[in-house]
């Protein structure tokens, strides 16, 4: 079993102030795979103090130098991709091939996009031709606490660290206690890249401990959080006393609206998208809304596709899906599948219990419910497992009403070959992102949600701006 008790503070690996062991569980086997320490207030304070001390010099470092360090980080990140992939598969259960391509790939993608955005970003610019003595200066927010979840660990860590570093913020990362190992590899990359001591710090811990110590800390200027809506609310409340800037990337319950004229791969694509990462994506297309003329056929196809999805150990190569992250999530998903049955949705694939052949591991059967309505629990709550909910609709208006009838607003999806209708839908769906006909968003596009899916945008220019204050100067000397 790996022993990884140290934290990365002020440019060094240091022992925790108090031993506080926590076992990381391999969800494929239910066995402990590593022991880490959960930080206490003394560790949090040490990390925040290091970040605070490093801030003035880092903020004053020319942006070209900060960009050069992130370029170096990207180079090391790509070289150490296999270590990151192995860590993620072991601790959170993403199948190794998918870890190598999607989980690790997401991190390179975000770092690269930040570099492109930063090179074109005017950190210091005139207000306009009408006001030659006015200057707009984009300046780092300060010390940023970065709190990340376990489901797309490198995606979320790079989205925060890459932007904060370029913006000139110093930071304390608290990764999920469920998936700390990849974050510790990432800290090694930051160390090798040569960021000045104190710019990047990592303290392991849980939400009630290090998480809330960070969100309430008077020397933390900003919290950037990704995770559950529940924790997002708790963080917002705790951060209110010090009026910190709070960025939130929360849950979702995306609709995938499939019109009768959709391309013939639309249903299959939607099911596979739902099952990817074992359904543990905030932007999963978890409600499939299908127009009545093709509904019966869509249900049949969805069941077939779900039945063809194989399940397996995360460290095995192949195209299977892995387990869900832990026992708590497994139980939550089982409870929601039971709820779907009890509330009268029609189970057409999967169901309760482990898939055939498994008596261990947090494996879930790829599951499809048909004939649901939007008031059922499985249509309202984020399940965060490989469970799809299908709902029929008749008209475009009805589809819009169902899609928008949710407390969430992260990503919605539209499948139709009628371009005018697709664009109409894109305008009225209340979500931070809309993806149509299987096209995802391009490099530099912002990620984030409306309503209870969050506040703020990550990635590209918008991600950089999130870690920047806008300073307006009048009377700027032009000579
Ligand atoms: P969580 O929100 O509890 O944990 C995410 C991160 O926040 C972890 O680092 C955790 O330690 C920390 N945290 C938890 N409570 C905190 C608090 N009060 N103050 C500060 N930090 C806190 O999520 P989870 O328990 O890992 O997963 C539960 C549910 O969250 C899932 O079922 C899913 O619905 C949702 N989730 C969403 C996303 C997303 O990307 N939107 C990611 C992970 C989980």
């Amino acid at each position: 079993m790996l022993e990884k008790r140290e934290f990365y503070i002020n440019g060094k690996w240091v022992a925790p102030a108090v031993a506080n062991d926590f076992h990381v569980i391999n969800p494929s086997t239910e066995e402990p795979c590593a022991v880490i320490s959960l930080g206490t207030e003394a560790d949090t304070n040490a990390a925040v103090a290091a970040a605070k001390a490093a801030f003035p010099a880092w903020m004053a470092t020319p942006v070209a130098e900060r960009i050069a360090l992130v370029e170096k980080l990207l180079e090391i990140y790509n070289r150490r991709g296999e270590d990151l992939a192995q860590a993620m598969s072991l601790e959170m259960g993403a199948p190794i091939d998918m870890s190598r391509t999607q989980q690790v790939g997401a991190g390179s993608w975000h770092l690269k996009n930040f570099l492109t955005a930063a090179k074109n970003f005017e950190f210091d610019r005139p207000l306009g031709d009408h006001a030659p003595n006015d200057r707009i200066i984009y300046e780092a927010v300060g010390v940023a606490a970065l709190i990340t979840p376990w489901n797309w660990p490198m995606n979320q860590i790079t989205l925060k660290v890459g932007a904060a570093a370029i913006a000139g913020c110093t930071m304390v990362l608290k990764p999920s206690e469920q998936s700390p190992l990849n974050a510790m590899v990432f800290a090694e990359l930051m160390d090798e890249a040569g960021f000045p001591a104190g710019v990047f710090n990592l303290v392991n811990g849980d939400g009630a401990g290090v998480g809330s110590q960070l969100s309430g800390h008077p020397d933390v200027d900003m919290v950037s959080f990704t995770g559950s809506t529940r924790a997002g609310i708790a963080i917002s409340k705790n951060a209110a006393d010090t009026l910190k800037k709070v960025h939130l990337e929360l849950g979702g319950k995306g609709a995938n609206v499939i019109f009768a004229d959709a391309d013939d791969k639309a249903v299959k694509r939607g099911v596979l998208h739902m099952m990817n990462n074992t359904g543990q994506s905030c932007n999963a297309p978890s409600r499939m809304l299908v127009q009545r003329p093709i509904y019966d056929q869509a249900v049949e196809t969805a069941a077939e596709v779900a039945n063809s999805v194989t399940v397996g150990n995360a460290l095995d190569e192949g195209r299977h899906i892995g387990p869900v992250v832990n026992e708590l999530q497994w139980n939550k998903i089982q409870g929601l599948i039971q709820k779907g049955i009890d509330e009268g949705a029609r189970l057409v694939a999967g169901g309760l219990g482990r898939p055939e052949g498994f008596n261990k591991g947090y494996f879930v059967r790829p599951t499809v419910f048909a004939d649901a309505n939007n008031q059922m629990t499985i249509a309202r709550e984020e399940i965060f497992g490989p469970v799809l909910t299908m709902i029929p609709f008749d008209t475009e208006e009805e589809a819009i009403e169902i899609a928008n009838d949710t407390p969430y607003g992260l990503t919605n999806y539209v499948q139709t070959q009628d371009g005018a209708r697709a664009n109409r839908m894109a305008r009225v769906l209340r979500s931070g992102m809309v993806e149509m006909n299987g096209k995802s968003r391009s490099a530099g596009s912002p990620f984030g949600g409306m309503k209870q899916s969050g506040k703020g945008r990550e990635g590209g220019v918008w991600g950089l701006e999130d870690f920047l204050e806008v300073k307006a100067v009048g009377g700027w000397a032009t000579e």
Side-chain angles (χ1 to χ4, degrees):
M1 189 163 57
L2 289 166
E3 292 192 13
K4 295 267 181 188
R5 290 191 181 80
E6 295 188 313
F7 305 141
Y8 187 76
I9 299 176
N10 209 20
K12 290 187 292 286
W13 288 98
V14 295
V18 180
N20 192 8
D21 281 1
F22 176 85
H23 286 97
V24 182
I25 307 293
N26 172 350
S28 297
T29 62
E30 300 184 31
E31 303 291 337
C33 59
V35 55
I36 60 161
S37 193
L38 298 182
T40 55
E41 194 141 20
D43 304 304
T44 306
N45 288 343
V48 172
K52 188 183 176 189
F55 178 64
W58 182 240
M59 176 191 141
T61 300
V63 68
E65 284 178 35
R66 298 200 299 259
I67 288 175
L69 278 170
V70 174
E71 266 166 353
K72 184 132 187 252
L73 170 68
L74 174 58
E75 189 192 305
I76 301 166
Y77 180 99
N78 289 334
R79 171 159 51 75
R80 297 277 311 270
E82 182 61 20
D83 296 337
L84 292 163
Q86 292 287 344
M88 287 188 276
S89 291
L90 182 69
E91 62 192 336
M92 55 73 63
I96 188 67
D97 284 342
M98 183 268 183
S99 269
R100 288 175 179 138
T101 51
Q102 298 182 41
Q103 293 276 7
V104 174
S108 328
W109 166 259
H110 295 312
L111 292 176
K112 212 165 108 203
N113 294 341
F114 282 136
L115 289 166
T116 308
K119 285 173 188 164
N120 298 314
F121 192 84
E122 279 185 283
F123 286 84
D124 192 322
R125 57 179 90 154
L127 175 64
D129 292 344
H130 69 292
N133 300 111
D134 279 52
R135 201 87 191 152
I136 299 297
I137 299 172
Y138 285 81
E139 185 175 296
V141 171
V143 174
L146 315 177
I147 303 178
T148 53
W150 41 261
N151 59 330
W152 285 91
M154 269 308 124
N155 176 69
Q156 286 130 352
I157 288 174
T158 55
L159 273 173
K160 298 186 193 305
V161 175
I166 291 174
C169 289
T170 55
M171 59 203 108
V172 179
L173 169 66
K174 191 210 81 62
S176 169
E177 63 277 29
Q178 309 295 321
S179 63
L181 304 177
N182 66 83
M184 293 172 95
V185 175
F186 186 83
E188 292 172 13
L189 316 184
M190 293 296 284
D191 186 65
E192 187 183 338
F195 283 86
V199 167
F200 171 86
N201 305 275
L202 177 149
V203 181
N204 281 319
D206 57 16
V210 176
S212 25
Q213 287 151 18
L214 285 171
S215 65
H217 204 292
D219 290 335
V220 169
D221 301 292
M222 166 176 179
V223 183
S224 179
F225 169 76
T226 302
S228 63
T229 299
R230 171 202 64 77
I233 294 168
I235 287 169
S236 304
K237 288 183 177 166
N238 202 34
D241 286 338
T242 46
L243 288 174
K244 294 179 175 33
K245 178 170 182 177
V246 178
H247 174 107
L248 301 173
E249 206 68 75
L250 309 175
K253 194 72 196 176
N256 182 7
V257 183
I258 304 184
F259 287 97
D261 67 349
D263 68 277
D264 57 7
K265 298 274 182 334
V267 173
K268 179 175 182 187
R269 198 166 58 230
V271 178
L272 293 178
H273 192 170
M274 180 64 233
M275 302 300 164
N276 191 35
N277 207 31
T278 320
Q280 302 168 115
S281 301
C282 45
N283 59 353
S286 51
R287 292 180 295 153
M288 185 181 276
L289 277 44
V290 185
Q291 202 164 23
R292 201 83 63 176
I294 60 163
Y295 179 74
D296 289 341
Q297 179 58 53
V299 171
E300 210 174 291
T301 305
E304 265 168 35
V305 174
N307 286 329
S308 75
V309 171
T310 53
V311 177
N313 189 309
L315 292 168
D316 292 345
E317 296 191 341
R319 291 166 60 85
H320 54 281
I321 60 168
V324 296
V325 70
N326 58 25
E327 188 178 5
L328 196 75
Q329 288 299 114
W330 193 87
N331 285 331
K332 178 186 156 193
I333 295 161
Q334 297 301 313
L336 284 162
I337 294 175
Q338 184 64 55
K339 233 358 233 243
I341 297 167
D342 294 347
E343 290 181 7
R346 179 162 62 100
L347 188 64
V348 294
L352 290 165
R354 289 190 177 82
E356 218 173 294
F358 291 89
N359 56 16
K360 224 173 180 212
Y362 304 122
F363 296 99
V364 176
R365 300 170 69 190
T367 295
V368 177
F369 280 106
D371 305 353
N373 68 56
N374 205 44
Q375 301 316 312
M376 289 179 180
T377 309
I378 53 168
R380 304 213 74 80
E381 286 189 20
E382 193 178 36
I383 299 176
F384 237 57
V387 182
L388 178 71
T389 300
M390 298 182 74
I391 302 172
F393 72 89
D394 288 302
T395 63
E396 186 176 321
E397 292 67 32
E398 192 189 356
I400 294 165
E401 199 185 307
I402 298 171
N404 285 340
D405 175 18
T406 167
Y408 294 109
L410 193 57
T411 314
N412 284 302
Y413 301 83
V414 180
Q415 321 297 329
T416 172
Q417 295 188 59
D418 176 343
R421 170 153 64 191
N423 293 353
R424 251 190 337 263
M425 294 291 290
R427 289 192 191 282
V428 295
L429 290 170
R430 295 289 294 163
S431 52
M433 297 165 284
V434 181
E435 296 184 4
M436 304 194 285
N437 297 320
K439 305 258 185 321
S440 60
R441 293 158 307 102
S442 301
S445 179
F447 189 102
M450 295 180 183
K451 304 199 276 182
Q452 288 186 26
S453 289
K455 239 198 256 178
R457 296 292 179 271
E458 292 193 300
V461 176
W462 293 269
L464 291 180
E465 285 183 347
D466 211 58
F467 286 91
L468 292 165
E469 294 279 10
V470 179
K471 182 184 276 178
V473 183
W476 184 263
T478 51
E479 293 295 291

